[in-house]
């Protein structure tokens, strides 16, 4: 089923998405953001209440590993973070993690909102930089950078 609704006149269509609330549920689920002459919409198999909602709030990123201010043991440190977004949501495609500019292979668990992995390459003792860029489905972006130190030996 294709559903589309028209946004308010003059609205920035890039920040709007179509959401569905199914009977008996209190939360809204993302349907889509496809814009055409009918409005903004998406394809769904579900029925319920549809609503266009504007999202101007970027995701929140909390880095749990490497821990702030503590040296890391080992050349392949664990990478762990939480990415939260209250409306449009994020997907594994919209979360980028790098260490010293090198893209990392991480796993995103949408049920727990967690991202985890290990440094792809062996890191030398000394200072390193973790950078996380999280974008929600409508393009709101958060960038978090954390310096950490790999202990010698």
């Amino acid at each position: 089923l294709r559903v589309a609704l028209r946004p308010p006149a003059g609205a920035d269509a890039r920040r709007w998405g179509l959401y569905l609330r199914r009977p008996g549920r209190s939360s809204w689920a993302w349907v889509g953001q496809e814009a055409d002459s009918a409005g903004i919409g998406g394809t769904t198999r579900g029925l319920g209440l549809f609503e266009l909602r504007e999202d101007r709030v970027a995701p929140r990123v909390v880095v749990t590993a490497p821990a702030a201010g503590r040296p890391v043991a080992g050349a392949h440190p664990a990478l762990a973070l939480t990415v939260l977004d209250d409306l449009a949501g994020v997907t594994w495609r919209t979360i980028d993690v790098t260490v010293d500019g090198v893209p990392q292979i991480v796993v995103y668990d949408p049920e727990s909102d967690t991202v985890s992995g290990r440094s792809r390459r062996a890191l030398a003792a000394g200072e390193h930089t973790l950078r996380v860029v999280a974008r929600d489905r409508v393009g709101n972006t958060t960038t978090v950078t954390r310096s950490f130190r790999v202990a010698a030996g």
Side-chain angles (χ1 to χ4, degrees), residues 16-134:
W16 290 77
L18 181 67
Y19 298 84
L20 165 65
R21 188 171 69 195
R22 296 179 186 205
R25 297 204 180 157
S26 61
S27 62
W28 291 91
W30 174 262
V31 175
Q33 189 191 27
E34 301 162 16
D36 60 23
S37 61
I40 297 172
T43 303
T44 181
R45 294 176 189 233
L47 296 177
L49 179 63
F50 291 90
E51 184 175 297
L52 275 182
R53 303 183 108 193
E54 183 179 28
D55 184 352
R56 293 192 171 272
V57 179
R60 295 177 313 284
V61 174
V62 178
V63 177
T64 54
R70 296 178 59 191
V72 176
H76 296 274
L79 309 173
L81 48 128
T82 302
V83 180
L84 302 166
D85 191 76
D86 294 333
L87 197 52
V90 297
T91 72
W92 65 271
R93 290 183 175 105
T94 64
I95 302 169
D96 298 315
V97 179
T98 62
V99 173
D100 298 337
V102 176
Q104 301 299 300
I105 297 172
V106 293
V107 176
Y108 170 61
D109 180 352
E111 292 181 9
S112 65
D113 300 315
T114 58
V115 177
S116 60
R118 290 202 166 270
S119 175
R120 289 180 60 191
R121 62 182 173 90
L123 300 178
E127 291 294 319
H128 298 276
T129 303
L130 170 69
R131 184 173 188 254
V132 179
V133 178

